[in-house]
Amino acid sequence: MNEQEFGFETQAIRTHIERSQFQEHSTPLYLSSSFVFDDAEDMRASFTEEKERNIYSRFSNPNTTEFVDKVCAMEGAEAGYAFATGMAAIYSTFAALLNAGDHIVSAGSVFGSTHALFMTYFPKWNITTSYFDINQPETIEGLIKPNTKILYAETPTNPGVDVVDLELLGQIAEKHNLILIIDNCFATPYIQQPIKFGTHLVIHSATKLMDGQGRVLGGITVGRADLIRQIYLFSRNTGPALSPFNAWVLSKSVETLAIRVERHCENAMKVAEFLESHPKVNSVKYPFLKSHPKYEIAKKQMLLGGNIIAFEIKGGLEAGRAFLDKIKLCSLSANIGDAKTIVTHPASTTHSKLSVEEKLAVGISEGLVRVSVGLETVKDVIADLEQALA
Ligand SMILES: *Cc1c(COP(=O)(O)O)cnc(C)c1O
Protein backbone atom coordinates (compact mmCIF):
# COMPACT_ATOMS: atom_id res chain seq x y z
CA MET A 1 0.00 0.00 0.00
CA ASN A 2 1.61 3.27 -1.09
CA GLU A 3 0.50 5.51 1.76
CA GLN A 4 1.49 8.71 -0.05
CA GLU A 5 -1.37 8.29 -2.48
CA PHE A 6 -4.08 8.06 0.15
CA GLY A 7 -6.08 10.88 1.68
CA PHE A 8 -5.97 11.96 5.32
CA GLU A 9 -8.92 9.87 6.51
CA THR A 10 -7.67 6.73 4.75
CA GLN A 11 -4.26 7.12 6.34
CA ALA A 12 -5.75 7.69 9.81
CA ILE A 13 -7.88 4.56 9.44
CA ARG A 14 -5.68 2.23 7.41
CA THR A 15 -2.08 2.96 8.46
CA HIS A 16 -0.45 0.07 10.31
CA ILE A 17 -3.31 -2.14 11.47
CA GLU A 18 -1.76 -4.51 14.02
CA ARG A 19 -3.11 -8.07 13.79
CA SER A 20 -2.26 -11.30 15.61
CA GLN A 21 -2.46 -14.77 14.03
CA PHE A 22 -6.26 -14.58 14.54
CA GLN A 23 -6.57 -11.85 11.89
CA GLU A 24 -8.80 -9.54 13.92
CA HIS A 25 -10.42 -6.74 11.92
CA SER A 26 -10.21 -4.44 14.94
CA THR A 27 -6.75 -4.27 16.51
CA PRO A 28 -6.57 -6.38 19.68
CA LEU A 29 -5.16 -5.02 22.93
CA TYR A 30 -1.61 -6.25 23.55
CA LEU A 31 -1.44 -6.12 27.33
CA SER A 32 2.03 -7.53 27.72
CA SER A 33 4.92 -5.87 29.50
CA SER A 34 7.52 -7.96 27.66
CA PHE A 35 7.98 -10.12 24.57
CA VAL A 36 9.71 -13.51 24.13
CA PHE A 37 12.74 -14.40 22.04
CA ASP A 38 13.31 -17.56 20.00
CA ASP A 39 16.87 -18.14 21.19
CA ALA A 40 20.03 -16.44 22.42
CA GLU A 41 20.87 -15.08 18.97
CA ASP A 42 17.35 -13.63 18.48
CA MET A 43 17.65 -11.92 21.86
CA ARG A 44 21.14 -10.54 21.11
CA ALA A 45 20.13 -9.22 17.70
CA SER A 46 17.01 -7.58 19.15
CA PHE A 47 18.92 -5.77 21.88
CA THR A 48 21.56 -4.51 19.46
CA GLU A 49 18.68 -3.33 17.22
CA GLU A 50 19.85 -5.39 14.27
CA LYS A 51 16.27 -6.62 14.39
CA GLU A 52 13.36 -4.24 14.71
CA ARG A 53 11.00 -5.90 17.15
CA ASN A 54 9.25 -5.45 20.48
CA ILE A 55 11.39 -6.21 23.54
CA TYR A 56 9.72 -4.50 26.48
CA SER A 57 6.69 -2.19 26.49
CA ARG A 58 8.67 0.73 27.95
CA PHE A 59 10.56 0.71 24.61
CA SER A 60 7.69 -0.21 22.26
CA ASN A 61 4.49 -2.24 22.13
CA PRO A 62 2.31 -3.21 19.13
CA ASN A 63 -0.47 -0.87 20.27
CA THR A 64 1.77 2.15 20.84
CA THR A 65 3.56 1.56 17.53
CA GLU A 66 0.23 1.48 15.68
CA PHE A 67 -0.75 4.80 17.29
CA VAL A 68 2.65 6.36 16.50
CA ASP A 69 2.52 5.22 12.88
CA LYS A 70 -0.99 6.62 12.45
CA VAL A 71 0.00 10.03 13.84
CA CYS A 72 3.17 10.06 11.70
CA ALA A 73 1.03 9.39 8.62
CA MET A 74 -1.39 12.19 9.55
CA GLU A 75 1.38 14.72 10.32
CA GLY A 76 3.64 13.73 7.42
CA ALA A 77 6.39 12.85 9.94
CA GLU A 78 9.29 10.41 9.61
CA ALA A 79 9.11 8.96 13.11
CA GLY A 80 7.58 9.38 16.56
CA TYR A 81 7.36 8.23 20.15
CA ALA A 82 4.20 8.09 22.29
CA PHE A 83 4.01 9.25 25.90
CA ALA A 84 1.75 8.79 28.93
CA THR A 85 0.62 12.44 28.76
CA GLY A 86 1.12 15.55 26.69
CA MET A 87 3.36 16.96 29.42
CA ALA A 88 5.52 13.82 29.39
CA ALA A 89 5.95 14.40 25.65
CA ILE A 90 6.92 18.05 26.13
CA TYR A 91 9.26 17.41 29.08
CA SER A 92 10.98 14.41 27.50
CA THR A 93 11.42 16.13 24.13
CA PHE A 94 13.23 19.09 25.71
CA ALA A 95 15.16 16.98 28.21
CA ALA A 96 16.39 14.63 25.48
CA LEU A 97 17.59 17.40 23.17
CA LEU A 98 19.02 20.01 25.55
CA ASN A 99 22.26 20.23 27.53
CA ALA A 100 23.09 22.40 30.53
CA GLY A 101 23.68 25.95 29.31
CA ASP A 102 21.29 25.72 26.35
CA HIS A 103 18.69 28.39 25.69
CA ILE A 104 15.08 28.21 24.47
CA VAL A 105 13.14 30.94 22.67
CA SER A 106 9.43 30.36 23.30
CA ALA A 107 6.17 32.16 22.80
CA GLY A 108 5.05 33.64 26.12
CA SER A 109 1.57 32.22 25.83
CA VAL A 110 2.10 28.49 26.24
CA PHE A 111 0.26 25.83 28.21
CA GLY A 112 0.55 26.45 31.99
CA SER A 113 2.64 23.38 32.82
CA THR A 114 4.96 24.06 29.86
CA HIS A 115 5.47 27.52 31.32
CA ALA A 116 6.30 25.90 34.69
CA LEU A 117 8.90 23.66 33.02
CA PHE A 118 10.62 26.70 31.51
CA MET A 119 10.41 28.90 34.60
CA THR A 120 10.79 26.50 37.55
CA TYR A 121 12.45 23.27 36.46
CA PHE A 122 14.76 23.84 33.48
CA PRO A 123 16.69 26.62 35.29
CA LYS A 124 17.75 23.91 37.81
CA TRP A 125 19.89 22.54 34.95
CA ASN A 126 20.94 25.97 33.73
CA ILE A 127 18.58 25.81 30.76
CA THR A 128 17.05 29.24 30.28
CA THR A 129 14.10 30.56 28.26
CA SER A 130 13.37 33.91 26.63
CA TYR A 131 9.79 34.72 25.71
CA PHE A 132 8.43 36.52 22.67
CA ASP A 133 4.98 38.05 22.37
CA ILE A 134 2.98 35.65 20.19
CA ASN A 135 1.53 38.65 18.31
CA GLN A 136 5.00 40.10 17.62
CA PRO A 137 7.01 37.30 16.03
CA GLU A 138 9.23 39.98 14.45
CA THR A 139 10.90 40.29 17.89
CA ILE A 140 12.06 36.64 17.87
CA GLU A 141 15.37 37.19 16.12
CA GLY A 142 16.41 39.75 18.75
CA LEU A 143 16.12 37.07 21.44
CA ILE A 144 18.29 34.45 19.73
CA LYS A 145 21.70 33.92 21.38
CA PRO A 146 24.69 31.74 20.43
CA ASN A 147 23.42 29.04 22.85
CA THR A 148 19.80 29.08 21.60
CA LYS A 149 18.85 25.59 20.46
CA ILE A 150 15.05 25.43 20.33
CA LEU A 151 12.31 27.71 19.03
CA TYR A 152 8.95 26.78 20.55
CA ALA A 153 5.31 27.82 20.13
CA GLU A 154 1.70 26.66 20.24
CA THR A 155 -0.76 27.77 17.61
CA PRO A 156 -3.59 28.42 18.22
CA THR A 157 -2.68 29.21 21.84
CA ASN A 158 -4.35 28.20 25.06
CA PRO A 159 -6.42 29.99 26.30
CA GLY A 160 -6.01 33.20 24.25
CA VAL A 161 -6.61 31.54 20.83
CA ASP A 162 -3.83 33.59 19.27
CA VAL A 163 -2.27 32.40 16.01
CA VAL A 164 1.36 32.62 14.93
CA ASP A 165 2.71 32.32 11.38
CA LEU A 166 4.26 28.85 11.08
CA GLU A 167 5.99 29.66 7.80
CA LEU A 168 7.75 32.62 9.43
CA LEU A 169 8.84 30.47 12.40
CA GLY A 170 10.14 27.87 9.95
CA GLN A 171 12.21 30.52 8.15
CA ILE A 172 13.67 31.87 11.40
CA ALA A 173 14.53 28.35 12.60
CA GLU A 174 16.24 27.56 9.29
CA LYS A 175 18.21 30.80 9.23
CA HIS A 176 19.50 30.40 12.81
CA ASN A 177 19.84 26.62 12.77
CA LEU A 178 17.29 26.10 15.56
CA ILE A 179 15.07 23.10 16.21
CA LEU A 180 11.50 24.32 15.68
CA ILE A 181 9.01 22.53 17.92
CA ILE A 182 5.25 23.18 17.67
CA ASP A 183 2.56 22.06 20.12
CA ASN A 184 -0.20 21.27 17.59
CA CYS A 185 -2.73 20.13 20.17
CA PHE A 186 -5.42 22.77 19.51
CA ALA A 187 -5.38 22.29 15.75
CA THR A 188 -4.83 18.51 15.36
CA PRO A 189 -3.13 17.19 12.20
CA TYR A 190 -6.48 17.31 10.38
CA ILE A 191 -6.51 21.11 10.53
CA GLN A 192 -2.81 21.96 10.48
CA GLN A 193 0.39 20.08 9.62
CA PRO A 194 3.32 22.18 10.92
CA ILE A 195 5.97 19.99 9.25
CA LYS A 196 4.83 21.42 5.89
CA PHE A 197 5.99 24.84 7.12
CA GLY A 198 9.46 23.77 8.26
CA THR A 199 8.70 22.50 11.78
CA HIS A 200 11.09 19.77 12.94
CA LEU A 201 9.05 18.27 15.78
CA VAL A 202 5.31 18.33 16.43
CA ILE A 203 3.94 17.60 19.91
CA HIS A 204 0.39 16.67 20.88
CA SER A 205 -1.50 16.17 24.04
CA ALA A 206 -3.50 13.21 22.69
CA THR A 207 -5.72 13.69 25.75
CA LYS A 208 -7.59 16.42 23.91
CA LEU A 209 -9.16 16.20 20.42
CA MET A 210 -7.21 13.08 19.48
CA ASP A 211 -9.02 11.01 22.09
CA GLY A 212 -11.93 13.38 21.76
CA GLN A 213 -14.11 11.71 24.34
CA GLY A 214 -12.37 12.63 27.58
CA ARG A 215 -11.32 9.07 28.41
CA VAL A 216 -7.56 8.67 28.36
CA LEU A 217 -4.37 10.69 28.82
CA GLY A 218 -1.71 10.49 26.17
CA GLY A 219 0.98 12.43 24.36
CA ILE A 220 3.13 12.11 21.29
CA THR A 221 6.11 13.72 19.58
CA VAL A 222 6.62 13.17 15.84
CA GLY A 223 9.04 14.59 13.30
CA ARG A 224 12.61 14.29 12.06
CA ALA A 225 13.97 10.78 12.53
CA ASP A 226 17.37 11.77 13.99
CA LEU A 227 15.71 13.92 16.66
CA ILE A 228 13.10 11.27 17.44
CA ARG A 229 15.94 8.78 17.86
CA GLN A 230 17.42 10.92 20.66
CA ILE A 231 13.99 11.33 22.24
CA TYR A 232 13.36 7.58 21.98
CA LEU A 233 16.65 6.65 23.67
CA PHE A 234 16.06 9.17 26.47
CA SER A 235 12.50 7.90 26.98
CA ARG A 236 13.44 4.24 26.75
CA ASN A 237 15.69 4.85 29.77
CA THR A 238 13.52 7.27 31.74
CA GLY A 239 10.12 5.60 31.31
CA PRO A 240 7.41 8.09 30.25
CA ALA A 241 5.86 5.56 27.79
CA LEU A 242 2.19 5.54 26.79
CA SER A 243 0.35 2.49 28.17
CA PRO A 244 -0.80 -0.13 25.61
CA PHE A 245 -4.41 0.30 26.73
CA ASN A 246 -4.40 4.05 26.15
CA ALA A 247 -2.61 3.55 22.84
CA TRP A 248 -5.31 1.10 21.78
CA VAL A 249 -8.05 3.60 22.70
CA LEU A 250 -6.22 6.39 20.84
CA SER A 251 -5.72 4.32 17.68
CA LYS A 252 -9.48 3.79 17.61
CA SER A 253 -10.05 7.50 18.27
CA VAL A 254 -7.95 8.71 15.36
CA GLU A 255 -10.05 6.63 12.95
CA THR A 256 -12.77 9.24 13.49
CA LEU A 257 -10.56 12.30 14.04
CA ALA A 258 -11.34 13.98 10.71
CA ILE A 259 -15.11 13.66 10.90
CA ARG A 260 -15.22 14.63 14.59
CA VAL A 261 -12.97 17.66 14.14
CA GLU A 262 -14.97 18.80 11.13
CA ARG A 263 -18.17 18.88 13.21
CA HIS A 264 -16.39 20.43 16.21
CA CYS A 265 -15.27 23.27 13.93
CA GLU A 266 -18.65 23.68 12.23
CA ASN A 267 -20.29 23.99 15.66
CA ALA A 268 -17.55 26.33 16.94
CA MET A 269 -18.01 28.68 13.97
CA LYS A 270 -21.75 28.96 14.75
CA VAL A 271 -21.08 29.55 18.45
CA ALA A 272 -18.43 32.16 17.60
CA GLU A 273 -20.84 34.02 15.29
CA PHE A 274 -23.54 33.92 17.96
CA LEU A 275 -21.17 35.32 20.61
CA GLU A 276 -19.85 38.03 18.32
CA SER A 277 -23.38 39.36 17.81
CA HIS A 278 -24.26 39.32 21.54
CA PRO A 279 -24.49 42.72 23.29
CA LYS A 280 -22.99 41.42 26.58
CA VAL A 281 -19.86 40.22 24.81
CA ASN A 282 -17.01 42.67 24.31
CA SER A 283 -14.97 40.64 21.87
CA VAL A 284 -14.61 37.13 20.48
CA LYS A 285 -11.41 35.42 19.45
CA TYR A 286 -11.80 32.58 16.94
CA PRO A 287 -9.25 32.02 14.14
CA PHE A 288 -11.82 31.82 11.32
CA LEU A 289 -13.75 34.96 12.32
CA LYS A 290 -12.71 37.92 10.14
CA SER A 291 -12.26 39.94 13.35
CA HIS A 292 -9.39 37.68 14.49
CA PRO A 293 -6.17 39.75 14.31
CA LYS A 294 -4.39 36.91 12.49
CA TYR A 295 -7.31 35.81 10.29
CA GLU A 296 -5.22 35.81 7.10
CA ILE A 297 -2.49 33.67 8.67
CA ALA A 298 -5.07 31.30 10.14
CA LYS A 299 -6.61 30.89 6.68
CA LYS A 300 -3.18 30.22 5.19
CA GLN A 301 -2.12 27.48 7.58
CA MET A 302 -5.36 26.00 8.97
CA LEU A 303 -8.03 24.01 7.15
CA LEU A 304 -10.69 24.96 9.72
CA GLY A 305 -10.84 27.26 12.76
CA GLY A 306 -10.62 24.67 15.54
CA ASN A 307 -13.06 24.15 18.40
CA ILE A 308 -11.75 26.64 20.97
CA ILE A 309 -13.24 30.11 21.34
CA ALA A 310 -12.12 32.80 23.76
CA PHE A 311 -14.52 35.62 24.47
CA GLU A 312 -14.57 38.58 26.77
CA ILE A 313 -17.68 39.21 28.83
CA LYS A 314 -18.56 42.77 29.77
CA GLY A 315 -18.11 43.26 33.52
CA GLY A 316 -14.76 41.56 34.17
CA LEU A 317 -14.00 38.93 36.80
CA GLU A 318 -17.41 38.97 38.53
CA ALA A 319 -19.31 38.77 35.24
CA GLY A 320 -17.11 35.85 34.15
CA ARG A 321 -17.77 33.92 37.36
CA ALA A 322 -21.51 34.72 37.30
CA PHE A 323 -21.68 33.44 33.72
CA LEU A 324 -20.12 30.11 34.73
CA ASP A 325 -22.57 29.74 37.61
CA LYS A 326 -25.52 30.05 35.23
CA ILE A 327 -24.31 27.41 32.77
CA LYS A 328 -26.67 24.40 32.75
CA LEU A 329 -25.93 22.10 29.81
CA CYS A 330 -22.22 22.64 29.19
CA SER A 331 -19.62 21.34 31.64
CA LEU A 332 -17.35 23.28 33.93
CA SER A 333 -14.28 21.12 33.60
CA ALA A 334 -10.53 21.40 33.13
CA ASN A 335 -10.33 19.62 29.78
CA ILE A 336 -10.73 20.60 26.14
CA GLY A 337 -11.49 18.76 22.91
CA ASP A 338 -14.18 16.53 24.40
CA ALA A 339 -17.49 15.62 22.72
CA LYS A 340 -19.03 17.57 25.62
CA THR A 341 -18.83 21.36 25.44
CA ILE A 342 -16.65 22.73 28.25
CA VAL A 343 -16.61 26.27 29.62
CA THR A 344 -13.82 27.70 31.77
CA HIS A 345 -12.84 31.04 33.28
CA PRO A 346 -9.01 31.13 33.16
CA ALA A 347 -8.58 34.30 35.28
CA SER A 348 -10.09 32.69 38.39
CA THR A 349 -8.82 29.13 37.80
CA THR A 350 -5.83 27.96 35.70
CA HIS A 351 -4.17 31.39 35.70
CA SER A 352 -5.39 32.73 39.07
CA LYS A 353 -1.81 32.87 40.47
CA LEU A 354 -0.74 35.44 37.87
CA SER A 355 -1.13 39.18 38.45
CA VAL A 356 -3.59 41.13 36.29
CA GLU A 357 -0.62 42.43 34.21
CA GLU A 358 0.90 38.95 33.82
CA LYS A 359 -2.48 37.61 32.72
CA LEU A 360 -2.85 40.35 30.12
CA ALA A 361 0.65 39.63 28.82
CA VAL A 362 -0.46 36.10 27.90
CA GLY A 363 -3.80 37.27 26.54
CA ILE A 364 -6.05 36.63 29.55
CA SER A 365 -8.34 39.44 30.64
CA GLU A 366 -10.42 39.15 33.83
CA GLY A 367 -13.62 38.57 31.86
CA LEU A 368 -12.17 36.03 29.44
CA VAL A 369 -14.18 32.84 29.00
CA ARG A 370 -12.86 29.85 27.05
CA VAL A 371 -15.29 27.51 25.34
CA SER A 372 -14.25 24.13 23.99
CA VAL A 373 -17.16 23.53 21.64
CA GLY A 374 -18.32 19.91 21.63
CA LEU A 375 -20.48 17.72 19.45
CA GLU A 376 -23.92 18.31 21.00
CA THR A 377 -26.63 19.76 18.76
CA VAL A 378 -25.24 23.25 18.32
CA LYS A 379 -28.53 25.07 18.90
CA ASP A 380 -28.62 23.56 22.41
CA VAL A 381 -25.10 24.77 23.17
CA ILE A 382 -25.98 28.26 21.92
CA ALA A 383 -29.20 28.27 23.95
CA ASP A 384 -27.25 27.42 27.10
CA LEU A 385 -24.69 30.19 26.50
CA GLU A 386 -27.54 32.61 25.71
CA GLN A 387 -29.46 31.95 28.93
CA ALA A 388 -26.22 32.22 30.94
CA LEU A 389 -25.41 35.60 29.33
CA ALA A 390 -28.96 36.93 29.91
C1 LIG B 1 -3.51 19.80 27.74
C2 LIG B 1 -2.39 20.39 27.01
C3 LIG B 1 -1.07 19.95 27.23
C4 LIG B 1 -0.74 18.91 28.28
O1 LIG B 1 -1.27 17.66 27.97
P1 LIG B 1 -1.62 16.55 29.08
O2 LIG B 1 -2.05 15.39 28.27
O3 LIG B 1 -2.70 17.13 29.95
O4 LIG B 1 -0.37 16.31 29.86
C5 LIG B 1 -0.06 20.53 26.49
N1 LIG B 1 -0.31 21.50 25.59
C6 LIG B 1 -1.56 21.95 25.35
C7 LIG B 1 -1.77 23.03 24.33
C8 LIG B 1 -2.63 21.41 26.04
O5 LIG B 1 -3.88 21.88 25.81
Side-chain angles (χ1 to χ4, degrees):
M1 177 162 99
N2 181 358
E3 286 169 9
Q4 294 307 321
E5 289 170 14
F6 290 110
F8 183 92
E9 292 85 347
T10 311
Q11 298 209 26
I13 293 167
R14 292 281 171 181
T15 300
H16 188 150
I17 298 168
E18 187 69 46
R19 293 194 172 111
S20 78
Q21 86 249 35
F22 298 115
Q23 291 291 321
E24 305 86 356
H25 193 205
S26 171
T27 300
L29 175 54
Y30 292 90
L31 276 187
S32 183
S33 28
S34 68
F35 300 85
V36 289
F37 304 97
D38 294 337
D39 51 33
E41 173 52 23
D42 182 30
M43 197 163 187
R44 185 204 62 78
S46 303
F47 268 84
T48 53
E49 296 187 66
E50 285 162 30
K51 267 190 187 173
E52 205 178 301
R53 53 109 81 218
N54 294 302
I55 299 171
Y56 189 65
S57 286
R58 168 152 43 80
F59 309 174
S60 70
N61 168 285
N63 290 120
T64 52
T65 306
E66 176 175 338
F67 175 59
V68 167
D69 288 352
K70 284 187 149 78
V71 177
C72 285
M74 292 190 289
E75 287 283 7
E78 293 170 359
Y81 185 83
F83 297 88
T85 66
M87 281 321 301
I90 294 169
Y91 170 72
S92 304
T93 298
F94 280 94
L97 299 176
L98 293 176
N99 295 312
D102 284 343
H103 177 247
I104 302 162
V105 172
S106 169
S109 39
V110 290
F111 187 68
S113 295
T114 309
H115 197 267
L117 280 184
F118 295 159
M119 297 311 283
T120 309
Y121 298 101
F122 288 166
K124 297 206 302 184
W125 301 296
N126 193 25
I127 292 167
T128 52
T129 303
S130 301
Y131 288 119
F132 65 91
D133 180 336
I134 190 90
N135 290 311
Q136 296 184 317
E138 62 279 6
T139 61
I140 293 174
E141 289 195 276
L143 299 172
I144 297 171
K145 304 193 236 177
N147 60 337
T148 306
K149 196 157 177 195
I150 288 174
L151 178 59
Y152 184 79
E154 295 168 13
T155 182
T157 62
N158 180 19
V161 201
D162 286 306
V163 167
V164 67
D165 188 341
L166 287 171
E167 194 177 359
L168 177 65
L169 297 190
Q171 286 162 358
I172 295 171
E174 163 110 28
K175 182 171 161 201
H176 296 274
N177 197 22
L178 306 178
I179 302 169
L180 175 58
I181 306 180
I182 296 294
D183 181 334
N184 199 29
C185 170
F186 268 37
T188 81
Y190 181 62
I191 290 184
Q192 174 174 281
Q193 294 157 355
I195 289 171
K196 282 187 188 156
F197 301 97
T199 298
H200 303 109
L201 292 170
V202 175
I203 300 184
H204 285 280
S205 167
T207 313
K208 312 295 169 54
L209 283 159
M210 253 186 212
D211 173 42
Q213 287 141 90
R215 300 167 297 186
V216 299
L217 299 170
I220 188 162
T221 303
V222 300
R224 223 170 73 190
D226 62 316
L227 300 173
I228 293 294
R229 174 77 186 157
Q230 291 181 58
I231 295 162
Y232 162 73
L233 290 174
F234 176 84
S235 304
R236 168 176 166 151
N237 286 306
T238 54
L242 180 64
S243 77
F245 178 77
N246 287 4
W248 176 79
V249 171
L250 289 167
S251 289
K252 296 272 150 236
S253 305
V254 298
E255 291 184 353
T256 58
L257 183 75
I259 192 164
R260 284 188 288 107
V261 168
E262 214 162 80
R263 181 64 73 83
H264 271 290
C265 296
E266 190 186 314
N267 287 355
M269 190 71 200
K270 288 180 183 153
V271 172
E273 282 167 349
F274 157 76
L275 289 168
E276 195 161 54
S277 68
H278 199 284
K280 293 224 174 121
V281 173
N282 263 340
S283 62
V284 181
K285 209 87 147 291
Y286 182 69
F288 270 31
L289 281 182
K290 287 214 172 65
S291 56
H292 192 285
K294 298 283 157 57
Y295 172 76
E296 296 299 333
I297 291 167
K299 280 279 182 180
K300 179 179 80 171
Q301 65 195 28
M302 298 169 75
L303 180 67
L304 295 163
N307 82 314
I308 312 290
I309 303 167
F311 69 98
E312 156 89 26
I313 292 195
K314 287 183 185 162
L317 195 70
E318 285 317 308
R321 288 177 49 118
F323 172 77
L324 252 65
D325 281 337
K326 284 199 225 146
I327 288 287
K328 289 188 183 130
L329 177 75
C330 303
S331 314
L332 309 187
S333 180
N335 199 8
I336 54 156
D338 195 305
K340 301 182 183 79
T341 298
I342 295 170
V343 182
T344 55
H345 180 236
S348 68
T349 57
T350 47
H351 294 73
S352 60
K353 290 194 183 69
L354 303 186
S355 70
V356 172
E357 293 73 32
E358 284 170 331
K359 283 183 227 177
L360 282 176
V362 292
I364 300 166
S365 63
E366 298 295 296
L368 186 89
V369 173
R370 185 189 71 187
V371 189
S372 166
V373 179
L375 300 175
E376 301 96 336
T377 316
V378 69
K379 73 168 174 52
D380 299 331
V381 174
I382 291 174
D384 191 32
L385 300 177
E386 189 163 29
Q387 66 79 27
L389 280 167

